[in-house]
Amino acid sequence: IKKTEDTFVIELEKTKDILASLGAEKKQQFLVGFALETQNEIENAKLKIQKKNLNLIVLNSLNDKGAGFGGTTNKVTFIDKDFNKDFTRHYSLLFQLEEQQYAYAVYEKRTGKLQVLKSVQLNSASSGDILTKLKNSVTSDDILQAPYHEVKVGLVASPFSFVPRVLFEEEKAAAYLKITAETSQADVVHTNNVKGVFAKNIFSVDQSIHQYLHEVFDRPKLFHCVSGLIETAIRVKDNFADQQIVLDIKPGIMHIAYFEKRDFKFINQYR
């Protein structure tokens, strides 16, 4: 281009919408798209699913602190094409709380189909202690504010102790836990049945966290993540070696379970 003028104009021709064309041609394929939104995020993402005939969309909201461009962290929400925020009373919510992050999944229990999946880092969500960060993040999430058929909350970092069912007495649950774990007098103690090992998992929850979970969710069922870890391991133990270690590694915390000749022996928590 010869510089005969101080300014010049370049005309660009609009290219083919690759994602829309794939959606129009697909048959059995599972098509995933991406959406970057600044307002009405869920609604706009759902509209894009319909317009481009997608099965799933990965939503990136610039309103989420720590998400988008120019940073070292990111947050996305996976949304299924059948998800409808107006019908969440027919869905179940699984909410997992860790020390510096939380994750949740929305699914339809009848079909087992996953509708929404999201993970949020609390250390970049806002200033303040973990409870303040949790409140600020959950309050700003429309999906978590919706009503659900049932809510299950999994706790990752809470102290816990396994007690054989034949020895367990409900009124002594807190005393059992204090033998193996450091707990506060104000902590709330819960128990889970652990299927397949004939044991009770006793765990404690910080009182302020416990109170907030019951404020934000309708009748949440609380459980410790190691209960699910052991139950899952029991279901696949026929594939284990004579000596088998099962690891569950999350930021800042790790659980190690040991099986010998396919029998569960112990599980420990390490920071």
Side-chain angles (χ1 to χ4, degrees):
I1 302 174
K2 295 186 178 297
K3 299 179 181 178
T4 57
E5 303 291 341
D6 291 336
T7 61
F8 57 88
V9 176
I10 298 178
E11 293 186 1
L12 302 177
E13 182 179 343
K14 186 177 180 180
T15 61
K16 182 180 181 180
D17 189 325
I18 298 174
L19 192 58
S21 62
L22 289 173
E25 297 172 3
K26 78 167 187 172
K27 293 180 175 61
Q28 301 297 324
Q29 297 89 341
F30 190 92
L31 191 59
V32 180
F34 174 82
L36 178 65
E37 302 291 343
T38 58
Q39 58 184 358
N40 300 324
E41 294 96 333
I42 301 295
E43 292 77 6
N44 288 338
K46 286 286 292 181
L47 183 61
K48 191 170 185 177
I49 289 177
Q50 296 167 7
K51 288 176 63 177
K52 300 182 186 291
N53 194 25
L54 308 178
N55 298 91
L56 182 79
I57 197 161
V58 181
L59 170 62
N60 209 171
S61 172
L62 292 183
N63 292 322
D64 286 339
K65 190 173 181 180
F69 305 110
T72 58
T73 62
N74 197 6
K75 290 184 286 184
V76 296
T77 305
F78 293 83
I79 301 175
D80 183 81
K81 66 181 179 65
D82 295 325
F83 176 65
N84 190 329
K85 201 169 63 174
D86 295 329
F87 294 96
T88 55
R89 286 194 181 276
H90 300 286
Y91 299 146
S92 298
L93 173 68
L94 300 180
F95 185 89
Q96 179 172 282
L97 180 60
E98 303 178 27
E99 288 187 315
Q100 293 293 337
Q101 66 181 28
Y102 68 82
Y104 67 83
V106 177
Y107 75 103
E108 188 178 7
K109 192 172 184 177
R110 181 178 58 85
T111 62
K113 188 174 183 180
L114 184 67
Q115 301 289 334
V116 177
L117 181 64
K118 186 174 184 178
S119 178
V120 177
Q121 296 284 335
L122 287 174
N123 54 2
S124 62
S126 61
S127 59
D129 58 21
I130 288 298
L131 181 57
T132 301
K133 294 178 181 180
L134 180 64
K135 288 181 177 180
N136 291 341
S137 182
V138 170
T139 302
S140 64
D141 193 321
D142 290 344
I143 295 177
L144 290 177
Q145 299 302 309
Y148 289 92
H149 172 67
E150 65 174 350
V151 178
K152 295 181 179 179
V153 178
L155 300 157
V156 171
S158 297
F160 70 93
S161 181
F162 276 42
V163 175
R165 290 186 203 173
V166 293
L167 301 177
F168 179 79
E169 296 179 41
E170 190 70 44
E171 64 274 11
K172 296 181 180 179
Y176 293 140
L177 186 59
K178 286 182 179 179
I179 296 174
T180 58
E182 292 185 10
T183 60
S184 168
Q185 191 69 29
D187 288 350
V188 181
V189 176
H190 283 263
T191 60
N192 295 150
N193 283 318
V194 185
K195 298 176 183 177
V197 296
F198 305 102
K200 291 271 192 177
N201 182 9
I202 309 169
F203 61 98
S204 64
V205 186
D206 178 87
Q207 187 180 44
S208 58
I209 295 289
H210 185 274
Q211 181 179 341
Y212 176 66
L213 291 173
H214 282 78
E215 288 174 357
V216 72
F217 299 127
D218 182 28
R219 292 169 296 172
K221 299 175 183 177
L222 274 59
F223 63 95
H224 200 290
C225 73
V226 297
S227 300
L229 176 66
I230 295 303
E231 289 179 359
T232 301
I234 291 292
R235 287 197 291 269
V236 298
K237 68 177 184 178
D238 289 344
N239 299 318
F240 286 179
D242 285 346
Q243 293 180 314
Q244 183 75 43
I245 290 176
V246 179
L247 299 177
D248 176 41
I249 303 173
K250 293 181 172 63
I253 200 162
M254 175 172 63
H255 298 110
I256 301 179
Y258 175 67
F259 286 75
E260 189 171 275
K261 295 183 178 179
R262 297 170 181 80
D263 289 332
F264 170 68
K265 295 300 181 181
F266 67 83
I267 182 167
N268 281 334
Q269 178 173 273
Y270 301 92
R271 295 181 181 274

Short mmCIF file of all heavy atoms in Angstrom, two decimals, residues 8-55:
data_model
loop_
_atom_site.label_atom_id
_atom_site.label_comp_id
_atom_site.label_asym_id
_atom_site.label_seq_id
_atom_site.Cartn_x
_atom_site.Cartn_y
_atom_site.Cartn_z
N PHE A 8 -5.99 5.73 5.44
CA PHE A 8 -6.55 4.83 4.44
C PHE A 8 -7.51 3.86 5.13
O PHE A 8 -7.48 3.69 6.35
CB PHE A 8 -5.46 4.06 3.68
CG PHE A 8 -4.53 3.27 4.55
CD1 PHE A 8 -4.83 1.96 4.91
CD2 PHE A 8 -3.34 3.83 4.99
CE1 PHE A 8 -3.98 1.24 5.69
CE2 PHE A 8 -2.48 3.10 5.78
CZ PHE A 8 -2.78 1.80 6.14
N VAL A 9 -8.36 3.23 4.35
CA VAL A 9 -9.40 2.34 4.87
C VAL A 9 -9.18 0.94 4.31
O VAL A 9 -8.92 0.77 3.11
CB VAL A 9 -10.81 2.84 4.46
CG1 VAL A 9 -11.88 1.83 4.94
CG2 VAL A 9 -11.07 4.21 5.06
N ILE A 10 -9.28 -0.04 5.19
CA ILE A 10 -9.20 -1.45 4.78
C ILE A 10 -10.57 -2.08 5.01
O ILE A 10 -11.09 -2.05 6.13
CB ILE A 10 -8.13 -2.22 5.58
CG1 ILE A 10 -6.75 -1.62 5.33
CG2 ILE A 10 -8.14 -3.70 5.19
CD1 ILE A 10 -5.65 -2.29 6.11
N GLU A 11 -11.19 -2.61 3.98
CA GLU A 11 -12.47 -3.27 4.10
C GLU A 11 -12.26 -4.76 4.36
O GLU A 11 -11.50 -5.42 3.65
CB GLU A 11 -13.30 -3.08 2.84
CG GLU A 11 -13.74 -1.64 2.63
CD GLU A 11 -14.68 -1.50 1.44
OE1 GLU A 11 -14.97 -2.55 0.82
OE2 GLU A 11 -15.10 -0.38 1.15
N LEU A 12 -12.93 -5.26 5.39
CA LEU A 12 -12.81 -6.66 5.76
C LEU A 12 -14.09 -7.40 5.43
O LEU A 12 -15.19 -6.86 5.58
CB LEU A 12 -12.52 -6.80 7.27
CG LEU A 12 -11.27 -6.09 7.79
CD1 LEU A 12 -11.15 -6.26 9.31
CD2 LEU A 12 -10.02 -6.66 7.11
N GLU A 13 -13.96 -8.62 4.98
CA GLU A 13 -15.11 -9.44 4.65
C GLU A 13 -15.39 -10.40 5.81
O GLU A 13 -14.47 -11.06 6.32
CB GLU A 13 -14.86 -10.23 3.37
CG GLU A 13 -16.04 -11.08 2.93
CD GLU A 13 -15.75 -11.82 1.63
OE1 GLU A 13 -14.80 -11.44 0.94
OE2 GLU A 13 -16.50 -12.79 1.34
N LYS A 14 -16.64 -10.45 6.26
CA LYS A 14 -17.00 -11.30 7.37
C LYS A 14 -16.80 -12.77 7.00
O LYS A 14 -17.20 -13.22 5.93
CB LYS A 14 -18.47 -11.08 7.75
CG LYS A 14 -18.91 -11.82 8.99
CD LYS A 14 -20.35 -11.49 9.35
CE LYS A 14 -20.80 -12.24 10.59
NZ LYS A 14 -22.20 -11.93 10.95
N THR A 15 -16.16 -13.50 7.90
CA THR A 15 -15.89 -14.92 7.64
C THR A 15 -17.09 -15.77 8.02
O THR A 15 -18.03 -15.32 8.68
CB THR A 15 -14.67 -15.41 8.43
OG1 THR A 15 -14.93 -15.26 9.83
CG2 THR A 15 -13.43 -14.60 8.07
N LYS A 16 -17.04 -17.00 7.64
CA LYS A 16 -18.08 -17.96 7.97
C LYS A 16 -18.07 -18.24 9.47
O LYS A 16 -17.00 -18.36 10.08
CB LYS A 16 -17.83 -19.25 7.18
CG LYS A 16 -18.85 -20.35 7.38
CD LYS A 16 -18.47 -21.56 6.54
CE LYS A 16 -19.48 -22.68 6.70
NZ LYS A 16 -19.11 -23.87 5.89
N ASP A 17 -19.24 -18.33 10.09
CA ASP A 17 -19.35 -18.68 11.50
C ASP A 17 -19.09 -20.18 11.63
O ASP A 17 -19.96 -21.02 11.35
CB ASP A 17 -20.74 -18.33 12.04
CG ASP A 17 -20.84 -18.47 13.55
OD1 ASP A 17 -20.20 -19.39 14.10
OD2 ASP A 17 -21.56 -17.67 14.18
N ILE A 18 -17.86 -20.52 12.02
CA ILE A 18 -17.45 -21.93 12.04
C ILE A 18 -18.31 -22.74 12.99
O ILE A 18 -18.76 -23.85 12.66
CB ILE A 18 -15.96 -22.04 12.43
CG1 ILE A 18 -15.09 -21.31 11.39
CG2 ILE A 18 -15.54 -23.49 12.56
CD1 ILE A 18 -13.63 -21.24 11.75
N LEU A 19 -18.55 -22.22 14.19
CA LEU A 19 -19.31 -22.97 15.19
C LEU A 19 -20.75 -23.19 14.74
O LEU A 19 -21.30 -24.29 14.87
CB LEU A 19 -19.29 -22.23 16.54
CG LEU A 19 -19.79 -23.00 17.75
CD1 LEU A 19 -19.00 -24.29 17.94
CD2 LEU A 19 -19.72 -22.14 19.00
N ALA A 20 -21.37 -22.15 14.17
CA ALA A 20 -22.75 -22.27 13.70
C ALA A 20 -22.85 -23.27 12.54
O ALA A 20 -23.82 -24.03 12.46
CB ALA A 20 -23.28 -20.91 13.27
N SER A 21 -21.86 -23.26 11.66
CA SER A 21 -21.89 -24.19 10.53
C SER A 21 -21.70 -25.63 11.00
O SER A 21 -22.33 -26.55 10.45
CB SER A 21 -20.81 -23.81 9.51
OG SER A 21 -19.52 -23.91 10.08
N LEU A 22 -20.87 -25.82 12.01
CA LEU A 22 -20.71 -27.17 12.56
C LEU A 22 -22.00 -27.63 13.23
O LEU A 22 -22.39 -28.79 13.13
CB LEU A 22 -19.56 -27.19 13.57
CG LEU A 22 -18.15 -27.04 13.01
CD1 LEU A 22 -17.13 -26.92 14.15
CD2 LEU A 22 -17.79 -28.23 12.12
N GLY A 23 -22.67 -26.69 13.92
CA GLY A 23 -23.94 -27.03 14.57
C GLY A 23 -25.01 -27.39 13.56
O GLY A 23 -25.84 -28.28 13.81
N ALA A 24 -25.01 -26.73 12.42
CA ALA A 24 -26.02 -27.00 11.40
C ALA A 24 -25.78 -28.35 10.73
O ALA A 24 -26.74 -28.99 10.25
CB ALA A 24 -26.00 -25.89 10.35
N GLU A 25 -24.53 -28.80 10.69
CA GLU A 25 -24.19 -30.03 9.98
C GLU A 25 -24.09 -31.25 10.88
O GLU A 25 -24.04 -32.38 10.40
CB GLU A 25 -22.86 -29.84 9.24
CG GLU A 25 -22.91 -28.77 8.17
CD GLU A 25 -21.52 -28.47 7.60
OE1 GLU A 25 -20.56 -29.17 8.02
OE2 GLU A 25 -21.40 -27.55 6.77
N LYS A 26 -24.04 -31.04 12.20
CA LYS A 26 -23.76 -32.16 13.10
C LYS A 26 -24.90 -33.17 13.10
O LYS A 26 -26.08 -32.84 12.90
CB LYS A 26 -23.49 -31.65 14.51
CG LYS A 26 -24.73 -31.27 15.31
CD LYS A 26 -24.39 -31.08 16.78
CE LYS A 26 -25.67 -30.86 17.58
NZ LYS A 26 -25.46 -30.84 19.01
N LYS A 27 -24.52 -34.43 13.38
CA LYS A 27 -25.49 -35.51 13.50
C LYS A 27 -25.37 -36.14 14.88
O LYS A 27 -26.16 -35.88 15.76
CB LYS A 27 -25.27 -36.52 12.38
CG LYS A 27 -25.58 -35.96 10.99
CD LYS A 27 -25.34 -37.00 9.92
CE LYS A 27 -25.77 -36.49 8.54
NZ LYS A 27 -25.04 -35.28 8.11
N GLN A 28 -24.36 -36.98 15.09
CA GLN A 28 -24.16 -37.63 16.38
C GLN A 28 -23.07 -36.95 17.20
O GLN A 28 -22.80 -37.37 18.33
CB GLN A 28 -23.77 -39.10 16.16
CG GLN A 28 -24.81 -39.91 15.39
CD GLN A 28 -26.12 -40.01 16.14
OE1 GLN A 28 -26.14 -40.10 17.36
NE2 GLN A 28 -27.23 -39.99 15.40
N GLN A 29 -22.44 -35.92 16.66
CA GLN A 29 -21.33 -35.30 17.36
C GLN A 29 -21.79 -34.54 18.60
O GLN A 29 -22.93 -34.07 18.69
CB GLN A 29 -20.59 -34.32 16.44
CG GLN A 29 -19.95 -34.98 15.23
CD GLN A 29 -20.89 -35.04 14.04
OE1 GLN A 29 -22.11 -34.91 14.21
NE2 GLN A 29 -20.34 -35.24 12.87
N PHE A 30 -20.89 -34.42 19.58
CA PHE A 30 -21.13 -33.62 20.79
C PHE A 30 -20.36 -32.32 20.63
O PHE A 30 -19.14 -32.30 20.62
CB PHE A 30 -20.63 -34.38 22.03
CG PHE A 30 -21.05 -33.75 23.33
CD1 PHE A 30 -22.23 -34.14 23.95
CD2 PHE A 30 -20.28 -32.77 23.93
CE1 PHE A 30 -22.61 -33.58 25.16
CE2 PHE A 30 -20.67 -32.21 25.13
CZ PHE A 30 -21.84 -32.61 25.75
N LEU A 31 -21.09 -31.22 20.46
CA LEU A 31 -20.48 -29.95 20.10
C LEU A 31 -20.43 -29.00 21.31
O LEU A 31 -21.45 -28.75 21.95
CB LEU A 31 -21.27 -29.30 18.96
CG LEU A 31 -20.63 -28.09 18.27
CD1 LEU A 31 -19.28 -28.46 17.66
CD2 LEU A 31 -21.57 -27.55 17.18
N VAL A 32 -19.24 -28.50 21.59
CA VAL A 32 -19.02 -27.60 22.73
C VAL A 32 -18.58 -26.23 22.21
O VAL A 32 -17.71 -26.13 21.35
CB VAL A 32 -17.93 -28.16 23.67
CG1 VAL A 32 -17.71 -27.21 24.85
CG2 VAL A 32 -18.32 -29.54 24.18
N GLY A 33 -19.21 -25.18 22.74
CA GLY A 33 -18.86 -23.81 22.35
C GLY A 33 -18.33 -23.02 23.53
O GLY A 33 -18.28 -23.50 24.66
N PHE A 34 -17.93 -21.78 23.26
CA PHE A 34 -17.37 -20.90 24.28
C PHE A 34 -18.09 -19.56 24.23
O PHE A 34 -18.42 -19.05 23.15
CB PHE A 34 -15.87 -20.70 24.02
CG PHE A 34 -15.22 -19.69 24.91
CD1 PHE A 34 -14.81 -20.03 26.20
CD2 PHE A 34 -15.02 -18.39 24.48
CE1 PHE A 34 -14.22 -19.09 27.03
CE2 PHE A 34 -14.43 -17.44 25.31
CZ PHE A 34 -14.03 -17.80 26.58
N ALA A 35 -18.35 -18.99 25.41
CA ALA A 35 -19.01 -17.69 25.47
C ALA A 35 -18.31 -16.80 26.48
O ALA A 35 -18.05 -17.22 27.61
CB ALA A 35 -20.49 -17.85 25.86
N LEU A 36 -17.99 -15.59 26.07
CA LEU A 36 -17.42 -14.58 26.96
C LEU A 36 -18.48 -13.49 27.12
O LEU A 36 -18.85 -12.83 26.16
CB LEU A 36 -16.14 -14.00 26.37
CG LEU A 36 -15.46 -12.90 27.18
CD1 LEU A 36 -14.96 -13.45 28.51
CD2 LEU A 36 -14.30 -12.29 26.40
N GLU A 37 -18.99 -13.33 28.35
CA GLU A 37 -20.11 -12.42 28.58
C GLU A 37 -19.80 -11.42 29.69
O GLU A 37 -18.98 -11.69 30.57
CB GLU A 37 -21.37 -13.21 28.95
CG GLU A 37 -21.82 -14.24 27.92
CD GLU A 37 -22.34 -13.61 26.65
OE1 GLU A 37 -22.67 -12.41 26.67
OE2 GLU A 37 -22.43 -14.32 25.62
N THR A 38 -20.49 -10.28 29.62
CA THR A 38 -20.33 -9.25 30.64
C THR A 38 -21.64 -8.96 31.37
O THR A 38 -21.64 -8.35 32.43
CB THR A 38 -19.81 -7.94 30.02
OG1 THR A 38 -20.72 -7.51 28.99
CG2 THR A 38 -18.43 -8.14 29.41
N GLN A 39 -22.77 -9.38 30.80
CA GLN A 39 -24.06 -9.17 31.45
C GLN A 39 -25.04 -10.25 30.98
O GLN A 39 -24.87 -10.83 29.91
CB GLN A 39 -24.62 -7.79 31.12
CG GLN A 39 -24.81 -7.52 29.63
CD GLN A 39 -25.27 -6.10 29.36
OE1 GLN A 39 -25.48 -5.33 30.28
NE2 GLN A 39 -25.43 -5.77 28.10
N ASN A 40 -26.04 -10.55 31.82
CA ASN A 40 -27.01 -11.61 31.52
C ASN A 40 -26.29 -12.87 31.05
O ASN A 40 -26.64 -13.46 30.02
CB ASN A 40 -28.02 -11.15 30.47
CG ASN A 40 -28.82 -9.94 30.91
OD1 ASN A 40 -29.16 -9.81 32.09
ND2 ASN A 40 -29.10 -9.05 29.98
N GLU A 41 -25.29 -13.26 31.82
CA GLU A 41 -24.38 -14.30 31.36
C GLU A 41 -25.07 -15.62 31.02
O GLU A 41 -24.88 -16.18 29.93
CB GLU A 41 -23.29 -14.55 32.43
CG GLU A 41 -22.35 -13.38 32.63
CD GLU A 41 -22.78 -12.50 33.80
OE1 GLU A 41 -23.99 -12.49 34.11
OE2 GLU A 41 -21.92 -11.84 34.40
N ILE A 42 -25.86 -16.13 31.96
CA ILE A 42 -26.51 -17.43 31.74
C ILE A 42 -27.47 -17.37 30.56
O ILE A 42 -27.48 -18.25 29.70
CB ILE A 42 -27.26 -17.87 33.01
CG1 ILE A 42 -26.29 -17.99 34.20
CG2 ILE A 42 -27.97 -19.20 32.76
CD1 ILE A 42 -25.25 -19.04 34.05
N GLU A 43 -28.29 -16.31 30.52
CA GLU A 43 -29.27 -16.18 29.45
C GLU A 43 -28.60 -16.08 28.09
O GLU A 43 -29.03 -16.72 27.11
CB GLU A 43 -30.15 -14.94 29.68
CG GLU A 43 -31.09 -15.05 30.89
CD GLU A 43 -30.40 -14.84 32.21
OE1 GLU A 43 -29.20 -14.50 32.21
OE2 GLU A 43 -31.05 -15.00 33.26
N ASN A 44 -27.54 -15.27 27.99
CA ASN A 44 -26.84 -15.12 26.71
C ASN A 44 -26.14 -16.41 26.29
O ASN A 44 -26.09 -16.76 25.10
CB ASN A 44 -25.83 -13.99 26.79
CG ASN A 44 -26.50 -12.62 26.83
OD1 ASN A 44 -27.64 -12.47 26.39
ND2 ASN A 44 -25.81 -11.62 27.35
N ALA A 45 -25.59 -17.11 27.27
CA ALA A 45 -24.94 -18.38 26.96
C ALA A 45 -25.95 -19.41 26.46
O ALA A 45 -25.69 -20.14 25.50
CB ALA A 45 -24.20 -18.91 28.19
N LYS A 46 -27.12 -19.46 27.11
CA LYS A 46 -28.16 -20.38 26.67
C LYS A 46 -28.65 -20.04 25.26
O LYS A 46 -28.94 -20.93 24.45
CB LYS A 46 -29.34 -20.34 27.65
CG LYS A 46 -29.08 -21.03 28.97
CD LYS A 46 -29.10 -22.54 28.83
CE LYS A 46 -30.49 -23.04 28.51
NZ LYS A 46 -30.54 -24.52 28.40
N LEU A 47 -28.74 -18.74 24.96
CA LEU A 47 -29.16 -18.30 23.62
C LEU A 47 -28.16 -18.77 22.57
O LEU A 47 -28.54 -19.20 21.47
CB LEU A 47 -29.30 -16.78 23.60
CG LEU A 47 -29.81 -16.16 22.29
CD1 LEU A 47 -31.21 -16.67 21.98
CD2 LEU A 47 -29.82 -14.63 22.39
N LYS A 48 -26.89 -18.70 22.91
CA LYS A 48 -25.85 -19.14 21.98
C LYS A 48 -25.93 -20.65 21.75
O LYS A 48 -25.71 -21.13 20.63
CB LYS A 48 -24.46 -18.77 22.52
CG LYS A 48 -23.34 -18.94 21.52
CD LYS A 48 -22.05 -18.32 22.03
CE LYS A 48 -20.95 -18.37 20.97
NZ LYS A 48 -19.70 -17.70 21.42
N ILE A 49 -26.26 -21.40 22.78
CA ILE A 49 -26.45 -22.85 22.63
C ILE A 49 -27.53 -23.13 21.61
O ILE A 49 -27.37 -23.99 20.73
CB ILE A 49 -26.82 -23.48 23.99
CG1 ILE A 49 -25.62 -23.49 24.94
CG2 ILE A 49 -27.33 -24.91 23.80
CD1 ILE A 49 -25.91 -24.03 26.33
N GLN A 50 -28.65 -22.42 21.71
CA GLN A 50 -29.78 -22.65 20.81
C GLN A 50 -29.46 -22.20 19.39
O GLN A 50 -29.74 -22.92 18.43
CB GLN A 50 -31.00 -21.90 21.33
CG GLN A 50 -31.49 -22.40 22.69
CD GLN A 50 -32.49 -21.47 23.35
OE1 GLN A 50 -32.93 -20.49 22.75
NE2 GLN A 50 -32.84 -21.76 24.60
N LYS A 51 -28.86 -21.01 19.24
CA LYS A 51 -28.58 -20.47 17.91
C LYS A 51 -27.58 -21.32 17.14
O LYS A 51 -27.67 -21.47 15.92
CB LYS A 51 -28.06 -19.03 18.02
CG LYS A 51 -29.14 -18.02 18.43
CD LYS A 51 -28.54 -16.64 18.63
CE LYS A 51 -27.94 -16.11 17.34
NZ LYS A 51 -27.41 -14.73 17.53
N LYS A 52 -26.62 -21.90 17.86
CA LYS A 52 -25.55 -22.63 17.18
C LYS A 52 -25.68 -24.14 17.33
O LYS A 52 -24.79 -24.88 16.92
CB LYS A 52 -24.19 -22.14 17.70
CG LYS A 52 -23.98 -20.64 17.45
CD LYS A 52 -22.62 -20.17 17.92
CE LYS A 52 -22.49 -18.65 17.82
NZ LYS A 52 -22.45 -18.19 16.44
N ASN A 53 -26.80 -24.59 17.92
CA ASN A 53 -27.09 -26.02 18.05
C ASN A 53 -25.97 -26.76 18.79
O ASN A 53 -25.44 -27.76 18.32
CB ASN A 53 -27.31 -26.65 16.67
CG ASN A 53 -27.95 -28.03 16.78
OD1 ASN A 53 -28.62 -28.34 17.75
ND2 ASN A 53 -27.72 -28.86 15.77
N LEU A 54 -25.63 -26.25 19.99
CA LEU A 54 -24.56 -26.84 20.80
C LEU A 54 -25.13 -27.83 21.80
O LEU A 54 -26.30 -27.78 22.16
CB LEU A 54 -23.79 -25.75 21.54
CG LEU A 54 -23.26 -24.58 20.71
CD1 LEU A 54 -22.57 -23.57 21.62
CD2 LEU A 54 -22.30 -25.06 19.64
N ASN A 55 -24.27 -28.71 22.29
CA ASN A 55 -24.63 -29.60 23.38
C ASN A 55 -24.22 -29.03 24.73
O ASN A 55 -24.86 -29.29 25.75
CB ASN A 55 -23.95 -30.96 23.21
CG ASN A 55 -24.38 -31.68 21.95
OD1 ASN A 55 -23.75 -31.52 20.90
ND2 ASN A 55 -25.44 -32.45 22.03
#
